[in-house]
Structures are given as C-alpha cells and as structure tokens.
Amino acid sequence: MTTHQGVDKKALRRAYTASLSGTALEYYDFAAYSVAAATLFGDLFFPSGDDLAGTMAAFSTYAIGYLARPLGGIVFGRLGDVIGRKKVLVHTLMLAGVATFLIGLLPTYATIGGTAAILLVVLRFAQGVAVGGEWGGAVLLSSEYGDPKRRGLWASAAQIGPPAGTLLANGVIALLGALLTEAAFESWGWRVAFLLSAVLVGFGLWIRLRLEETPVFKAIAQREEQPSAPVSEVARTERRALVAGILVRVCPDVMYSLFTVFVLTYMVNELDMSRAQGSAAVMIGSAVQLGLMPAFGALSDRVNRRKLYLYGTIAAAIWPFVFFPMVSGGSFVLLALGIVVALVIHAALYGPQAALITEQFSPRLRYTGSSLAYTLAGVIGGAPAPLILAALLNWFESWWILGVYLGLTAVLTVVGLWLARDPAEEDEVAPAAEEKVLS
C-alpha cells in the first residue's frame, strides 16, 4: 500500500522511526546533562564552596549547548538544502553520540583541575552543534514522506524525541541512583548514563543508513532547484517567516526548561525534596507526553494550527501561578501532578510546532530556515532560561517572578503567531513519481 505520493507506507514508518530515534538520542544527551548540571556537575566540575555559584556555573555550561545550536543550524541546515536530508542527519547523529560518550569518560576537577571544566564546555558545545543541525532535518525526514495535509502528525516524530530522551535519561539516572550508594553514584555511576549513548547511536545509524533521500528533496534535486546560498537567501527573502519561527518557540523552550530542568534545583533547594523524587516526577510527565505529541500534532491537522498554539501559549502563561502554590507543601503527588499538567500544556505547543515552523518556509529552503528558527530561538529562550530563573529566584526570593518571566516569553510567542502564516497549497513540491524510496 502507498501514500498519496506513491511512497510505500513501510518507508513512511521507517522515516518516522528514524526521525524519532535520532532526536531521542540527542535529547537523551541533553537531558542527561540537564539532570547532572542541576544536581552534580556544580561540585564535580565547578567547585567553589558556594552552592549557588556552582549551580550557576553548571547551568552556564548547559546554556552553551543552546548557544552552539545556531552554528549547527547554519552549517548543517545549509548542507541539508544543498546535498540532502539523509546525509546530513547521519553526521549529526554521530557527532552528538561521540560528544556524549566522551563526557562519560571525562576526568573531574579533582583529577585535572580547571581543564575538566574546559573540556566539558567543549563537549557541550559539540552536543549543541549536533542538535542544531538535527532538528530541521529530522522534521523533514518524516514529514516529506507523508501527506502535507497530515504534516502535523508526521512532523511530530521529531517532537517525541525530547520527552523520550528525557524519560530515558531520567530513568537511567534514577535507576543508577537506586542501585548505587550516593558516594558511588557521584564517583562513577553518573558516567554510565553518558556512556550508554553509544547503544542509541548504533540503533539510530542502523535505521538512518537504510533510508534513501526524501521524495521531496529528490524532486527538488531532479529539477536542479537546490539553493546555492540558502542562509543568505532565507535572510533576504523569508525574513518574516524566520522571525515568526523564532518567536513561536521562545515560550515553549522556557516552559520546558522551567518544568524539567530548573524544577529539579527548586525542589531540592527550596522544598527539601530528594533528587530521586524530582527525576520521578519529570519521568511521569515525559511518559504522558510520548502519546500527546503526535496526538496534538494530528489535532493541528484538523483545526487551525496557529489557534491551537495560541490556546496552549495562554495556558503556559497561567500555569506557574497554579503550580508553585500547589507544590509549596512538598507533596510528591502534587509535584508529579503539577509537572504532568505543565508537560501536557507543553505538548499542546510542541506537538504542532514542527509543522508550524517548517511550513513558514518554501520547500527548497526548509532545512535552513527551520534550523535557523529553531536554533536562534534557543539562544533567546532555552539557553538563558535556567540561569535567569535561578538568578530571579535568588534576587526576589519568591516563585511569582518565575511566572512573570514565563508570561513575558508568552507575549513574544503570541507576536510570532501573529506574524506566522497558514500553509499554502502552492508551496508543496510533487515528488518524482518514478522514484522508489527504499531499495
């Protein structure tokens, strides 16, 4: 059986799996680092005797992973529009996997002094470059095999990666924490979570190397319509699309950082709860998201995508003012419930997000445009979020300022939705009928 484009459904499912597995690996890497940064890396790589200073230093390295993403978006996004989606995605997967594996082998400050922090920064930077090149291609890998009228569903494959990676990373770290003593975990147990990335890389490469290029890119290449300078062409001809794509990501990025990264520090330092409880709560929320990402992506194919996104943004701005009073008593049940609701709201935004951003750009510039929007938004939203949240809480000594911060990012996202457009039929590229997708 084939799709409307003449593409075998088996190929479509394989492309969906390839997209999901790659982003899951890269967000496993990011999530493993996020948990370690919130709970361990301050002492292991940035010891100062000041808990806040150590946490801020660890979160600074977390931010470097975001700041590196635009470089990955520029380099790999350009290549993806010129030489093809599949070739680029093999290289981004390998880069992320190698960098994460090496973090697992890295000596700490106690062994080699400040050099340990420098090496951690370099490897974190490499992770960021890989993620910056991965996302746009992963979205196109699945969505360009499927029906454009169901782009929300097929593009959601890349969106399942963050909760899948977060769930897996938190699960591995929670399991290690349960099996090992605190001393053993802090000494060597945390390394296992990073070394296991090699298994995920192997699986991802096995899937991706069996795929051929997407039918849409094949058609563009067959007509010799690849851009020669896609980055400058996007900046020159599709500026509004780029600004819209950047702004619609800001609020979801900050919300995700707040409820999966910063919340771990908040609950340990402010609520006197354990690291294991925080990881468990994030795991529960991430598990719920696994099914909701494609569900909200599919829903956005049936209703106006921008309106659905607007409702999610409003809910995101409101939720902190419910969440923090709710968890103030230190109840694990209420903490888990609060994080679950937060990640349901995030899924309503993140599920349709890939389709919303990619359809802002013309097909021949989609890898570059989507990658730039994704990565530049991270610089504004995700990168500084844990640092800003930690600093605001320290200055104001109250949770309400965290809600105000998220609300301001929601305003930016609403502006992005106003600038964005609905998909246009004339933008679609009909794949070459004679091409077979899989050998």
Side-chain angles (χ1 to χ4, degrees):
M1 187 179 292
T2 60
T3 69
H4 78 296
Q5 294 179 337
V7 178
D8 192 285
K9 282 192 174 180
K10 185 178 180 181
L12 180 55
R13 288 193 295 269
R14 190 171 294 177
Y16 193 90
T17 302
S19 176
L20 191 161
S21 62
T23 53
L25 165 69
E26 301 202 18
Y27 277 90
Y28 171 88
D29 300 344
F30 255 62
Y33 185 92
S34 298
V35 176
T39 58
L40 287 172
F41 280 180
D43 293 331
L44 293 176
F45 291 95
F46 308 97
S48 68
D50 184 324
D51 289 343
L52 175 62
T55 299
M56 293 289 280
F59 278 156
S60 295
T61 313
Y62 170 86
I64 286 170
Y66 277 94
L67 296 174
R69 288 184 182 186
L71 178 61
I74 290 170
V75 173
F76 291 115
R78 178 189 180 280
L79 291 173
D81 279 329
V82 174
I83 67 174
R85 295 27 168 156
K86 174 197 166 179
K87 293 178 182 178
V88 170
L89 288 172
V90 169
H91 289 92
T92 60
L93 185 65
M94 291 185 66
L95 178 59
V98 169
T100 304
F101 187 82
L102 290 177
I103 289 177
L105 300 176
L106 198 61
T108 63
Y109 183 93
T111 304
I112 59 173
T115 304
I118 295 171
L119 293 175
L120 182 64
V121 169
V122 170
L123 293 174
R124 183 63 175 168
F125 187 87
Q127 279 187 329
V129 171
V131 172
E134 165 75 20
W135 185 82
V139 170
L140 298 183
L141 186 65
S142 56
S143 65
E144 288 187 348
Y145 276 92
D147 185 346
K149 294 180 180 178
R150 302 185 70 193
R151 183 178 288 128
L153 171 62
W154 298 123
S156 70
Q159 307 303 84
I160 300 173
T166 299
L167 179 64
L168 188 58
N170 278 275
V172 168
I173 290 173
L175 179 62
L176 290 169
L179 295 177
L180 302 174
T181 65
E182 188 75 15
F185 181 78
E186 293 183 2
S187 174
W188 59 269
W190 63 270
R191 298 180 183 276
V192 176
F194 291 89
L195 297 176
L196 283 175
S197 65
V199 177
L200 296 175
V201 170
F203 176 75
L205 287 176
W206 177 70
I207 292 289
R208 288 188 176 182
L209 289 172
R210 298 179 70 197
L211 279 172
E212 291 190 8
E213 191 50 77
T214 71
V216 170
F217 182 80
K218 281 186 176 182
I220 292 171
Q222 194 175 69
R223 299 164 193 166
E224 299 183 348
E225 294 177 349
Q226 304 102 305
S228 58
V231 176
S232 61
E233 191 172 341
V234 167
R236 187 177 66 254
T237 65
E238 304 198 3
R239 284 190 295 270
R240 178 168 179 157
L242 182 59
V243 173
I246 291 170
L247 294 182
V248 298
R249 272 192 55 84
V250 174
C251 178
D253 267 10
V254 173
M255 186 180 194
Y256 196 73
S257 293
L258 174 59
F259 288 105
T260 65
V261 180
F262 180 78
V263 73
L264 299 176
T265 300
Y266 183 86
M267 51 158 292
V268 170
N269 294 340
E270 303 294 326
L271 304 179
D272 294 323
M273 300 177 72
S274 71
R275 178 178 62 227
Q277 287 178 306
S279 295
V282 172
M283 285 173 60
I284 294 169
S286 297
V288 171
Q289 278 197 313
L290 288 178
L292 290 179
M293 292 295 188
F296 278 115
L299 179 61
S300 75
D301 290 326
R302 298 177 177 274
V303 302
N304 184 276
R305 217 178 319 272
R306 289 192 296 152
K307 284 186 179 179
L308 176 62
Y309 209 92
L310 175 62
Y311 298 147
T313 302
I314 294 170
I318 294 171
W319 186 242
F321 297 95
V322 178
F323 173 81
F324 285 104
M326 185 171 75
V327 303
S328 61
S331 166
F332 171 75
V333 173
L334 292 179
L335 174 72
L337 177 62
I339 290 178
V340 166
V341 173
L343 294 184
V344 168
I345 296 170
H346 180 262
L349 294 165
Y350 208 67
Q353 184 184 94
L356 177 65
I357 291 176
T358 56
E359 64 197 11
Q360 302 305 309
F361 302 94
S362 56
R364 56 189 293 277
L365 295 172
R366 270 187 185 152
Y367 202 142
T368 300
S370 300
S371 296
L372 288 174
Y374 176 83
T375 57
L376 292 173
V379 173
I380 300 170
L387 287 167
I388 293 174
L389 290 165
L392 289 174
L393 185 62
N394 184 57
W395 292 337
F396 290 86
E397 298 182 345
S398 177
W399 61 264
W400 65 266
I401 193 65
L402 309 180
V404 171
Y405 172 44
L406 184 60
L408 292 175
T409 68
V411 173
L412 293 177
T413 290
V414 170
V415 173
L417 290 170
W418 176 73
L419 292 171
R421 60 167 187 159
D422 295 323
E425 289 282 345
E426 59 268 21
D427 285 342
E428 304 306 330
V429 173
E434 69 273 13
E435 294 281 4
K436 291 185 177 180
V437 179
L438 290 174
S439 57

